[in-house]
């Protein structure tokens, strides 16, 4: 059985698949390394999938979640074929098993679509790693994360920091945050949106900046409670799983208490960079 390892935020996910998979460009920088943490995923071909007599507790365009005596099971469906089921995935204590119908092997032909069928966010959370919807740049002060709803200007601010301050963009959509005895680190990931910044490197987090568009620039430190609310809205949270939600909340509470979280009302130009840069130069929290 072919085996492929990917390391994200220092956590290695080992994939055992029935057929060799093509490694896509966004996963190539994360290929073949060995991190401090390790998790096994086995992908199998089957002739049929089990039926469910109870309704799902969650459904989106890609999968439905069903509870059972062992936890939760994900059933993946093809929204182009009237939500026809073609795969199931079960996450256990030390591994995940994904089974798919042999006729649907193209859904598991390369790294991008193969990893999209595993509970990656839950695997990472088991090793105290969070996925945040943000753009990540590495600066002389450390890592800056620009976050907020889609279209708010995260990519714009990241590009401005590259141009004005010589920052290096590590990720443009879904960086991963980890916490250890040395503090918080933000890492690049294979999921970078239009930025195509797939950098397998981490930077110590200096601040998280929650963006809002405006006619002028104003930077305000957020209280831990206000910061938590904004961070939660931009974090991948599986709301059907109480244990998962509890662990996310614990991590976000620590992040809001230990890292400066700012609200930046800003323009899409160098004035926004200057506003934040001046606070960083002062060493402000």
């Amino acid at each position: 059985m072919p085996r492929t390892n990917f390391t994200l935020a220092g956590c290695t996910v080992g994939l055992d698949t029935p057929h060799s998979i093509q490694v896509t460009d966004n996963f190539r920088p994360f290929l073949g390394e060995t991190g401090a943490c390790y998790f096994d995923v086995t992908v199998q071909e089957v002739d049929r999938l089990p039926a469910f007599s109870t309704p799902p507790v969650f459904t989106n365009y890609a999968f439905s979640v069903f509870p059972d005596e062992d936890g939760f099971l994900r059933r993946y469906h093809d929204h182009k074929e009237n939500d026809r089921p073609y795969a199931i995935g079960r996450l256990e204590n030390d591994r995940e098993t994904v089974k798919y119908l042999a006729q649907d092997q193209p859904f598991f032909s390369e790294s991008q679509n193969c990893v999209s069928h595993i509970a990656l966010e839950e695997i990472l959370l088991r090793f105290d790693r969070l996925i945040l919807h943000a753009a990540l740049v590495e600066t002389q002060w450390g890592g800056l994360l620009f976050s907020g709803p889609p279209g708010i200007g995260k990519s714009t601010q990241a590009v401005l920091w590259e141009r004005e301050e010589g920052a290096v963009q590590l990720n443009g959509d879904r960086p991963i945050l980890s916490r250890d005895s040395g503090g918080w680190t933000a890492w690049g990931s294979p999921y970078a949106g239009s930025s195509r910044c797939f950098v397998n490197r981490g930077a110590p987090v200096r601040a998280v900046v929650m963006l809002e568009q405006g006619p002028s620039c104003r930077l305000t430190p957020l209280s831990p409670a206000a910061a938590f609310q904004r961070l939660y809205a931009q974090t991948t949270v599986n709301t059907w799983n109480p244990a998962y939600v509890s662990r996310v909340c614990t991590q976000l509470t620590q992040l809001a208490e230990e890292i400066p979280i700012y609200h930046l009302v800003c323009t899409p130009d160098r004035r926004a960079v200057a506003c934040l840069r001046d606070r960083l130069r002062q060493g402000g929290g």
Side-chain angles (χ1 to χ4, degrees):
M1 178 175 283
R3 187 173 189 81
T4 310
N5 288 345
F6 296 105
T7 299
L8 298 91
C11 178
T12 298
V13 177
L15 293 178
D16 289 322
T17 54
H19 309 281
S20 297
I21 62 173
Q22 176 187 355
V23 179
T24 51
D25 289 344
N26 58 327
F27 274 85
R28 196 170 302 281
F30 303 86
L31 178 67
E33 295 192 12
T34 301
C37 310
Y38 194 88
F39 196 89
D40 279 311
V41 177
T42 301
V43 181
Q44 303 172 347
E45 286 186 348
V46 296
D47 295 327
R48 62 179 181 270
L49 302 176
F52 297 92
S53 58
T54 57
V57 294
F58 174 84
T59 297
N60 66 12
Y61 77 96
F63 63 88
S64 297
V65 178
F66 296 84
D68 65 11
E69 64 276 8
D70 296 318
F72 298 94
L73 187 147
R74 299 188 188 196
R75 185 179 69 184
Y76 297 88
H77 47 251
D78 186 355
H79 67 279
K80 295 181 180 179
E81 293 189 22
N82 297 316
D83 292 338
R84 175 183 63 84
Y86 65 86
I88 59 171
R90 181 183 295 282
L91 184 65
E92 300 173 293
N93 289 332
D94 59 350
R95 67 174 50 248
E96 182 175 12
T97 302
V98 179
K99 300 178 181 181
Y100 68 86
L101 296 175
Q103 69 195 51
D104 293 299
Q105 193 272 332
F107 284 115
F108 295 84
S109 61
E110 39 92 337
S111 53
Q112 176 80 18
N113 60 22
C114 199
V115 174
S116 70
H117 291 90
I118 71 175
L120 181 62
E121 72 287 348
E122 294 206 30
I123 293 171
L124 290 172
L125 187 61
R126 292 185 177 199
F127 300 106
D128 295 328
R129 285 148 171 81
L130 296 168
I131 299 174
L132 183 69
H133 186 211
L136 167 63
V137 295
E138 185 178 28
T139 75
Q140 62 178 301
W141 295 281
L144 300 178
L145 292 133
F146 297 100
S147 187
I152 201 66
K154 297 180 289 294
S155 297
T156 298
Q157 294 302 318
V159 170
L160 283 169
W161 271 82
E162 286 183 303
R163 188 178 71 199
E164 301 293 329
E165 290 294 323
V168 177
Q169 188 170 184
L170 302 185
N171 187 262
D173 188 49
R174 280 189 281 172
I176 302 167
L177 277 70
S178 67
R179 181 181 182 273
D180 57 25
S181 58
W184 287 89
T185 302
W187 304 77
S189 85
Y191 303 99
S194 60
S195 74
R196 297 193 61 79
C197 292
F198 314 120
V199 181
N200 187 4
R201 189 167 78 238
V205 178
R206 176 60 182 85
V208 181
V209 184
M210 312 304 297
L211 297 174
E212 179 182 339
Q213 296 175 355
S216 59
C217 298
R218 184 178 70 256
L219 185 70
T220 306
L222 291 172
S223 68
F228 175 91
Q229 290 183 326
R230 291 175 180 265
L231 289 167
Y232 185 89
Q234 303 305 323
T235 303
T236 302
V237 181
N238 295 342
T239 55
W240 64 83
N241 186 340
Y244 181 97
V245 173
S246 176
R247 192 158 183 171
V248 166
C249 288
T250 297
Q251 291 291 97
L252 290 180
T253 297
Q254 291 177 319
L255 178 64
E257 291 175 346
E258 297 170 357
I259 295 295
I261 315 293
Y262 297 113
H263 176 213
L264 177 61
V265 179
C266 62
T267 54
D269 54 38
R270 65 178 59 183
R271 289 177 291 173
V273 175
C275 184
L276 177 57
R277 181 190 61 216
D278 290 347
R279 176 60 65 94
L280 298 175
R281 282 177 172 172
Q282 298 168 8

